[in-house]
């Protein structure tokens, strides 16, 4: 169904009471997860509702450390801080020893673990690790085309592309500029978002997941999906990365041209939500489809709208906080886990990847929890309960 502002505003909104109860339930589950997930990390997605224990690998481990920091901030309980600290040490080792870091996801990994740890406790080791990660990410910047190469070896012609997800890695670079005084990090981050928005935003305000750049000329070449249903479709999580990514760059750069970009990407997302407001994994699917949902996309979008609302005029702020409250209510009601015998995750009904004819994915984490869904759900609850000094 096509949602309009009028239909959206007809849904119930999450008030502080509901968000507070959801937060209490989440914290109870996190506390029970602590014994296993202190020296180990949860796998990227759950399996039949339960995360397995893994080493500090893949792009997803920082989300759990971020969950621990949020639980620490909410409760003040030193047990959460101590567990997060163990994990910061693990991230220090990971970047020092260059373990599974040949990609751009340094922001997802290090903003939520080490930048958060530095901001909350002043730990110099956390700052050092985050700065090493920022340097590593900056090393993926390609002058020809002015973008951060997402995957593969830098300069590899078959991997000369950017992806929309990278917008969430940029805050690590903005933070590095702030903490060191070296403007280079912020400059390349600003160049990246300019290049990215030039290629990935389509005329109908949907987005490409990935976009190849011509290695010789530096000009945008063509867009393809990696995790969406079709090259020309809107992968729900990709659209959500766009929403929050633009808001985060606005927070740091205050470039007024980002406001209409944010509105276009967000309004597409909101107007394509199905009847219960939990997006299908790709906007090719709508109310009544048997395809799975991706609750994490809604959680990411809520955080993006609540961040951007801080910088909009009164009417704009009201629209997007209103929409965020409605999505958060739907997430709490339909996807918030309240039963640890069913799952050790926080947000049910996510989809990591879904096989389709035009993408290269196998089904993975379909109708499961995933660590980023859990993190953004916790961040959304935190934001809706009061002012929050973000880790990004
Ligand atoms: N950044 C990878 C994903 O969203 O699945």
């Amino acid at each position: 169904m096509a949602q309009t502002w009028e239909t959206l505003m007809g849904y119930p909104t999450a008030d502080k009471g509901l968000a507070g109860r959801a937060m209490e339930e989440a914290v109870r589950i996190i506390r029970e997860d602590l014994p296993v997930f202190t020296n180990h990390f949860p796998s990227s997605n759950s399996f039949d509702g339960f995360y397995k224990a893994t080493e500090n690998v893949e792009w997803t481990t920082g989300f759990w450390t971020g969950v621990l920091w949020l639980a620490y901030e909410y409760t003040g309980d030193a047990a959460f801080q101590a567990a997060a600290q163990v994990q910061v040490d693990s991230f220090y080792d990971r970047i020092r020893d260059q373990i599974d870091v040949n990609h751009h996801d340094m922001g997802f990994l290090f903003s939520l673990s080490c930048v958060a740890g530095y901001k909350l406790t002043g730990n110099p080791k956390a700052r050092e690790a985050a700065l090493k990660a920022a340097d590593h990410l900056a090393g993926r910047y390609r002058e020809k085309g002015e973008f951060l190469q997402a995957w593969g070896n830098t300069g590899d012609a078959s991997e000369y592309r950017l992806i929309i997800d990278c917008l969430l890695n940029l805050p690590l670079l903005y933070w590095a500029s702030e903490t060191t005084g070296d403007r280079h990090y912020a400059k390349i981050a600003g160049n990246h978002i300019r290049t990215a928005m030039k290629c990935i935003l389509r005329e109908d305000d949907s987005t490409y997941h990935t976009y190849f750049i011509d290695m010789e000329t530096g000009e945008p070449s063509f867009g393809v999906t990696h995790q969406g249903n079709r090259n020309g479709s809107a992968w729900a999580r990709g659209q959500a990365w766009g929403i929050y990514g633009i808001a985060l760059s606005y927070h740091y750069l205050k470039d007024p041209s980002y406001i209409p970009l944010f509105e276009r990407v967000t309004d597409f997302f909101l107007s394509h939500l199905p009847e219960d407001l939990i997006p299908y994994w790709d906007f090719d699917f709508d109310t009544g489809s048997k395809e799975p949902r991706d609750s994490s996309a809604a959680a990411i979008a809520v955080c993006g709208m609540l961040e951007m609302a801080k910088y909009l005029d009164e009417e704009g702020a009201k629209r997007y906080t209103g929409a965020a409250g409605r999505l958060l209510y739907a997430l709490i009601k339909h996807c918030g886990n309240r039963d640890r015998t069913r799952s050790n995750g926080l947000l049910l009904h996510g989809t990591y990847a879904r096989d389709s004819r035009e993408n290269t994915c196998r089904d993975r984490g379909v109708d499961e929890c995933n660590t980023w869904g859990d993190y953004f759900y916790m961040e959304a609850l935190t934001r809706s309960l009061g002012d929050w000094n973000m880790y990004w």
Side-chain angles (χ1 to χ4, degrees):
M1 70 181 277
Q3 298 280 1
T4 62
W5 284 102
E6 286 68 36
T7 59
L8 258 181
M9 291 307 125
Y11 286 84
T13 189
D15 59 18
K16 279 198 187 350
L18 183 71
R21 287 192 294 282
M23 184 61 125
E24 290 291 334
E25 280 157 357
V27 166
R28 182 172 50 77
I29 292 171
I30 299 161
R31 198 183 290 286
E32 289 186 49
D33 287 345
L34 264 190
V36 178
F37 301 133
T38 293
N39 290 312
H40 286 92
F41 293 81
S43 45
S44 304
N45 55 270
S46 62
F47 298 83
D48 291 328
F50 288 85
Y51 290 110
K52 297 176 180 172
T54 72
E55 299 303 320
N56 192 351
V57 290
E58 299 203 43
W59 66 280
T60 53
T61 44
F63 296 117
W64 173 248
T65 316
V67 164
L68 294 176
W69 284 126
L70 290 174
Y72 167 59
E73 283 205 82
Y74 178 71
T75 60
D77 186 338
F80 293 121
Q81 183 192 1
Q85 191 50 56
V86 168
Q87 302 207 336
V88 165
D89 289 345
S90 167
F91 278 100
Y92 183 92
D93 295 348
R94 180 167 176 177
I95 193 66
R96 183 197 58 201
D97 300 341
Q98 299 279 290
I99 297 166
D100 197 8
V101 292
N102 194 25
H103 55 78
H104 67 152
D105 281 328
M106 297 304 110
F108 284 122
L109 290 168
F110 287 86
S111 293
L112 303 179
S113 58
C114 295
V115 175
Y118 176 61
K119 286 184 176 174
L120 292 173
T121 69
N123 176 2
K125 201 173 164 186
R127 180 178 183 273
E128 191 186 330
L131 279 176
K132 278 200 168 77
D135 283 334
H136 184 70
L137 176 56
R140 298 189 70 83
Y141 184 70
R142 304 291 89 200
E143 289 288 352
K144 207 49 146 188
E146 302 190 317
F147 70 104
L148 293 154
Q149 187 186 320
W151 300 318
N153 294 329
T154 45
D156 175 348
S158 66
E159 288 292 359
Y160 212 72
R161 65 171 147 175
L162 57 83
I163 75 171
I164 193 166
D165 322 29
C166 189
L167 299 184
L168 277 281
N169 290 319
L170 303 183
L172 181 67
L173 298 175
Y174 299 129
W175 168 81
S177 273
E178 272 189 4
T179 196
T180 63
D182 179 348
R183 294 301 303 157
H184 174 68
Y185 301 102
K187 185 169 188 316
I188 62 176
N191 289 353
H192 176 91
I193 186 170
R194 189 180 58 231
T195 304
M197 294 320 296
K198 190 166 75 178
C199 348
I200 57 177
L201 186 56
R202 303 186 187 108
E203 268 185 25
D204 70 352
D205 302 339
S206 67
T207 52
Y208 283 105
H209 181 193
T210 89
Y211 216 96
F212 281 95
I213 308 291
D214 186 305
M215 224 172 135
E216 304 303 321
T217 64
E219 287 302 313
S221 233
F222 60 97
V224 291
T225 198
H226 176 64
Q227 279 157 279
N229 188 46
R230 292 179 294 117
N231 290 332
S233 71
W235 175 47
R237 192 158 70 250
Q239 196 80 16
W241 291 139
I243 294 171
Y244 200 5
I246 296 168
L248 288 169
S249 276
Y250 189 86
H251 166 87
Y252 282 101
L253 299 183
K254 303 290 186 305
D255 182 331
S257 72
Y258 297 167
I259 293 178
L261 296 175
F262 169 84
E263 289 170 345
R264 289 174 59 190
V265 174
T266 308
D267 293 359
F268 181 96
F269 186 97
L270 294 173
S271 64
H272 287 76
L273 289 172
E275 208 168 272
D276 61 9
L277 304 186
I278 308 299
Y280 288 87
W281 66 280
D282 190 289
F283 286 118
D284 268 355
F285 310 109
D286 204 344
T287 308
S289 168
K290 298 265 180 295
E291 285 295 314
R293 311 304 184 104
D294 183 13
S295 54
S296 73
I300 296 160
V302 170
C303 295
M305 288 188 283
L306 292 179
E307 179 58 26
M308 196 67 184
K310 293 183 198 165
Y311 315 110
L312 299 175
D313 61 23
E314 206 181 319
E315 198 198 319
K318 202 167 149 215
R319 279 159 86 90
Y320 291 108
T321 50
R326 268 84 189 171
L327 264 64
L328 185 57
Y329 181 96
L331 282 173
I332 294 170
K333 288 288 172 188
H334 301 306
C335 307
N337 182 27
R338 282 171 263 283
D339 178 2
R340 199 173 173 283
T341 63
R342 174 186 183 184
S343 169
N344 61 355
L346 308 179
L347 189 70
L348 306 169
H349 309 308
T351 292
Y352 187 151
R354 180 80 164 143
D355 188 355
S356 84
R357 212 151 32 90
E358 277 188 44
N359 74 22
T360 51
C361 296
R362 297 263 171 89
D363 278 359
R364 182 173 179 189
V366 172
D367 197 17
E368 294 283 352
C369 298
N370 51 59
T371 50
W372 58 93
D374 288 0
Y375 171 77
F376 288 103
Y377 180 55
M378 278 287 282
E379 187 187 305
L381 293 173
T382 303
R383 283 178 176 274
S384 67
L385 287 172
D387 288 342
W388 177 65
N389 184 15
M390 65 180 186
Y391 305 157
W392 299 102

